[in-house]
């Protein structure tokens, strides 16, 4: 007798955007999940092949891999619409932005703030279809153990991610080392445990706040544990000038000379890189996290992403802790290079969707497990149920709609590691209302502290 295969979840009759090597889009297709894995992807509703505990009819919906965010700061969410912005003299450039806003904030952050930030950020991610992220937090006065508080929040929501502490020597050499050690502690605790959805990595702030010694220490620890390394690179001109003055090298050149660069390194922003530096990135196999909305907000310029893609550099989309809705970040990425280069041909919808899914999986070295819908991969799946479709959504048009029509509020269902996190836009893992209430209370206290004690942080260590 013919026996059907078992599936815990079967999603049938959807428009399945696989993001596999052939970039197959299957109209009226199914995705079958058993446990934490995808066990089948094909045409139809899948019910002739699978005996499913739960069947979801996805007619009129798009089924695709969960989005992956290449770079974020959960704590960025804590300053959304904050009264602090009205109190300060508005920064006129990138360095003032750090001195007056972010460094004034980060020295006041507590473990509770870090927990609240990870909680609200994870919720924001789920509600707009992102199932994995790479976060880094800066909190120089609350270093030890901070990543455990954030991990607790991410686990409560149930998504997958990488947490890291932003090691910086801007206040002291000792704080920089402690930052790297916090990452090492977290990596040791989580990275070899396959049951953990949250992993660690090494993060350095930027090459203008990090000495050669710390670069080398960070690299050695990352290699020891086979962990990822990431750093803000050439976001503003201060980074370029600092390195030229001190070392006679541009930041990417200096990192190359230190032996820091490699396929394990994610360079964040890379706005100011010249052609020689792009060549170094390509040759070393380092990758780039692009944050279009943050670059616009901070008025730092636009990185040469179309050129990077042409050269074969892997680029993924991050949000830099600004707007968490991946659709807004994809839309901005789609548009910004056209206007900056006065060329409407630059960036196709498919390239942009790749930069928010499979490319980031490659950057995180998890492309064999995540980033596409394929048999044998981990089951991180989202269902998008568009509220409004002005033109037909089909095999041919779906990438155009993902970039031009849909938004985070259209994400109906989110599955991470084979587990429902959101269904019909309702979070199933935590009480959303209670969580938001707790976060608001924490933020109110943080804003009071900031208004009372917040100070511009003008000095950084002269390395
Ligand atoms: Zn950043």
């Amino acid at each position: 007798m013919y026996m059907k295969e078992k599936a815990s979840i079967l999603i049938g009759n959807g428009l399945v955007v696989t993001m596999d090597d052939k970039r197959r889009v299957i109209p009226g297709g199914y995705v079958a999940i058993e446990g934490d894995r995808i066990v089948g992807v094909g045409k139809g509703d899948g019910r002739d092949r699978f005996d499913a505990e739960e069947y979801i009819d996805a007619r009129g919906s798009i089924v695709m891999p969960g989005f992956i965010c290449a770079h974020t700061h959960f704590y960025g969410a804590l300053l959304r619409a904050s009264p602090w912005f009205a109190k300060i003299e508005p920064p006129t450039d990138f360095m003032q932005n750090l001195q007056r806003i972010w460094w004034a904030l980060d020295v006041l952050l507590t473990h509770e703030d870090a927990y609240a930030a990870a909680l609200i950020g994870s919720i924001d991610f789920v509600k707009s279809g992102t199932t994995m992220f790479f976060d880094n937090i800066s909190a120089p006065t609350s270093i030890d153990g901070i990543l455990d508080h954030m991990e607790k929040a991410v686990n409560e929501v149930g998504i997958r991610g990488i947490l890291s502490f932003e090691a910086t020597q801007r206040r002291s050499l000792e704080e920089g080392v402690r930052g790297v050690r916090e990452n090492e502690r977290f990596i040791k605790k989580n990275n070899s445990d396959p049951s953990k959805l949250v992993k660690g990595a090494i993060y350095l702030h930027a090459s203008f706040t990090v000495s050669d010694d710390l670069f080398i220490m960070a690299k050695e620890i990352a290699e020891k544990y086979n962990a990822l390394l990431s750093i803000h690179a050439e976001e503003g001109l201060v980074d370029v000038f600092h390195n030229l003055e001190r070392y006679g090298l541009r930041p990417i050149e200096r990192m190359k000379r230190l032996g820091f660069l490699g396929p394990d390194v994610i360079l964040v922003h890379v706005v100011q890189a010249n052609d020689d530096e792009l060549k170094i990135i390509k040759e070393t196999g380092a990758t780039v996290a692009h944050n279009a909305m943050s670059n616009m907000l901070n008025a730092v310029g636009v990185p040469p992403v179309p050129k990077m893609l042409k050269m074969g550099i892997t680029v993924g989309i991050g949000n830099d802790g600004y707007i968490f809705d991946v659709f807004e970040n994809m839309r901005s990425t789609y548009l910004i290079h056209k206007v900056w280069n006065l060329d409407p041909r630059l960036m196709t919808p498919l390239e942009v969707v790749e930069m928010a899914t499979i490319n980031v999986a490659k950057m995180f070295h998890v492309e064999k497990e995540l980033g596409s819908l394929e048999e044998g991969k981990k089951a991180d799946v989202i269902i998008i149920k568009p509220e409004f479709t002005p033109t037909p959504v089909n095999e041919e048009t779906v990438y155009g709609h993902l970039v031009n029509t849909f938004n985070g509020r259209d994400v109906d269902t989110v599955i991470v590691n084979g587990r429902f996190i959101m269904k019909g836009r309702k979070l199933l893992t935590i009480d959303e209302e209670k969580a938001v209430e707790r976060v608001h209370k924490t933020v109110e206290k943080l804003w009071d502290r900031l208004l009372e004690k917040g100070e511009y942080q003008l000095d950084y260590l002269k390395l």
Side-chain angles (χ1 to χ4, degrees), residues 69-304:
C69 176
H71 176 75
T72 190
H73 306 277
F74 285 140
Y75 79 97
L78 300 178
L79 274 200
R80 183 84 59 88
S82 167
W84 181 245
F85 295 114
K87 198 187 164 185
I88 60 174
E89 252 181 295
T92 62
D93 90 336
F94 169 68
M95 191 61 188
Q96 287 179 346
N97 224 11
L98 295 178
Q99 292 169 327
R100 298 178 188 184
I101 300 172
W102 298 106
W103 291 353
L105 171 78
D106 73 8
V107 294
L108 296 176
L109 291 178
T110 63
H111 287 171
E112 167 63 23
D113 296 330
Y115 168 84
L119 191 60
I120 206 67
S122 299
I123 291 172
D124 213 346
F125 271 146
V126 171
K127 299 201 87 177
S128 46
T130 293
T131 53
M132 187 183 193
F133 63 85
F134 188 154
D135 180 86
N136 89 88
I137 184 159
S138 179
T141 53
S142 304
I143 301 174
D144 304 326
I146 196 168
L147 297 177
D148 291 348
H149 293 265
M150 301 182 73
E151 181 192 14
K152 185 171 176 281
V154 177
N155 284 339
E156 282 168 7
V157 178
I159 58 172
R160 199 186 293 277
I162 300 167
L163 290 173
S164 65
F165 187 85
E166 184 176 282
T168 171
Q169 294 173 304
R170 76 167 202 258
R171 288 165 26 120
S172 77
L173 292 163
E174 185 264 333
E175 267 179 20
V177 172
R178 269 174 66 209
V180 173
R181 291 287 176 219
E182 170 64 5
N183 286 321
E184 185 182 21
R185 181 191 68 77
F186 195 72
I187 289 167
K188 266 163 114 171
K189 183 171 81 85
N190 284 31
N191 282 26
S192 54
D193 183 346
S195 73
K196 301 227 187 230
L197 294 190
V198 179
K199 307 287 188 193
I202 304 279
Y203 203 100
L204 300 175
H205 170 245
S207 65
F208 65 101
T209 61
V210 173
S211 67
D212 285 358
D213 288 345
L214 200 70
F215 263 118
I216 291 163
M217 177 190 171
K219 181 77 180 176
E220 281 172 5
I221 293 174
E223 277 179 349
K224 183 174 167 193
Y225 299 101
N226 202 15
L228 293 170
L229 274 161
S230 189
I231 182 167
H232 294 111
E234 307 194 359
E235 180 176 8
L237 287 167
V238 60
D239 201 6
V240 178
F241 293 147
H242 174 91
N243 283 276
L244 283 170
E245 280 170 21
R246 307 266 152 186
Y247 308 95
L249 295 168
R250 295 174 61 88
I252 309 283
E253 293 171 339
R254 178 175 164 223
M255 287 186 226
K256 188 198 171 192
R257 181 176 289 188
L258 288 168
F260 183 76
L261 296 175
D264 51 342
V265 176
I266 298 167
L267 299 166
V268 179
H269 297 301
V270 197
V271 174
Q272 303 293 339
N274 65 21
D275 286 356
D276 289 351
E277 290 177 296
L278 292 183
K279 228 175 121 202
I280 293 172
I281 296 172
K282 169 67 185 160
E283 281 166 8
T284 56
T287 61
V288 175
H290 173 42
N291 308 268
M293 296 190 86
S294 163
N295 293 163
M296 288 194 270
L297 178 74
N298 296 327
V300 291
V302 179

Side-chain angles (χ1 to χ4, degrees), residues 373-420:
L373 300 180
E374 291 176 76
E375 211 170 302
K377 280 198 171 184
K378 291 278 190 184
D380 289 9
V381 184
I382 64 169
I383 303 174
I384 301 166
K385 208 174 185 174
E387 197 221 346
F388 171 68
T389 53
T391 56
V393 182
N394 57 42
E395 212 176 334
E396 240 178 300
T397 64
V398 68
Y399 297 115
H401 280 297
L402 282 166
V403 171
N404 292 289
T405 310
F406 306 150
N407 64 59
R409 303 288 175 262
D410 290 327
V411 176
D412 179 82
T413 298
V414 172
I415 297 167
V416 177
N417 214 35
R419 175 191 184 204
F420 284 108

